[in-house]
Amino acid sequence: HTLLVANRGEIAVRILRAAAELDVRTVAVYEPADEASLHVALAGQALAVPSYLDTHRIVSAAAEAGCDMLHPGYGFLSESAGLADACDEAGISFVGPTASTIRKLGDKVAARQLAQQLGVPTAAGSAAPCDSPAGVRAAMAGAGIHYPVMLKAVGGGGGRGMRPVARDEALDEAFAACQRECAAVGLLGGVFVEELLPAARHIEVQLLGDGAEVVHLYERDCSVQRRRQKQVETSPARNLPSSLRERLFSDALAIGSA
């Protein structure tokens, strides 16, 4: 087997080292500025690409190098259904979720609806994207929620495309700012609104699936953040009741298995 690692930095290094332990041949890609990086030195072969976001060039590089697997790492194209589709078309195994899964959970409104169908609790919010501040106000009235609220990009993630709104006078500008950020980084169009829970903790459950079975790898607490960007992650999450921890696991597995 030959694996192309479509990333850089520590995640690329970790993947390359794990592949080496499994005697899997590796190929790295790099932007010109990263030519002297550690992940380039560790790989069995390294190919230059214009950008870590250039799906066509990365998949072409994998094909040229005879790769039968591609690992996206995290960030960059790791949540790109387009990359998963391109790998499938090229006969390369994408080490990650299927394109349909990425699309299903990448659309936050669709993901909320899926969770609700499975009986997983969600914060009160709009049932569809809002195309204007007036649409947000109407959605808030329909859901019975009041300020403070959080505006979120339908295709957001990693803290991107999110704006807290504490009062109605700030809604119009926050909506416009959210839309600008979505457009700047190419996020899936649309904005929706949820009630803001200021004292909530951010706890994630890690899942691992092989296309047939899904298991959890326990939880991590990502509540220490700056501007909605994680700064510190700890595991296990402290002061989390066992019953709630088990409920988080079961809910996560339900979504991951859907």
Side-chain angles (χ1 to χ4, degrees), residues 6 26 30-32 35 41 55-56 59 112 139 145 168-169 174 211 215 241 256:
T26 55
Y30 63 91
E31 293 181 1
E35 186 173 5
T55 298
H56 175 73
V59 175
R112 279 173 51 86
I145 58 177
D168 192 68
E169 294 78 10
V215 298

Side-chain angles (χ1 to χ4, degrees), residues 161-186:
M162 298 174 63
R163 289 290 186 282
V165 185
R167 61 188 189 282
D168 192 68
E169 294 78 10
L171 178 61
D172 288 27
E173 174 52 34
F175 187 90
C178 195
Q179 285 193 313
R180 286 195 298 270
E181 185 173 352
C182 295
V185 296

Side-chain angles (χ1 to χ4, degrees), residues 2-43:
T2 302
L3 173 71
L4 183 138
V5 181
N7 217 298
R8 65 182 298 278
E10 61 88 19
I11 185 57
V13 169
R14 288 167 57 193
I15 296 167
L16 290 164
R17 286 174 172 165
E21 291 178 3
L22 297 171
D23 293 323
V24 173
R25 178 174 172 266
T26 55
V27 178
V29 292
Y30 63 91
E31 293 181 1
D34 287 337
E35 186 173 5
S37 295
L38 179 58
H39 80 283
V40 175
L42 287 177

Side-chain angles (χ1 to χ4, degrees), residues 6 10 28 38 44 52 60 63 68 88-89 110 113 115 118 120 139 149 155 190 211 217 224 234 237 254:
E10 61 88 19
L38 179 58
Y52 295 110
S60 295
D68 56 351
D88 187 54
E89 292 170 4
Q113 293 171 349
L118 295 170
V120 176
V149 297
L217 302 178
V224 179
T234 60

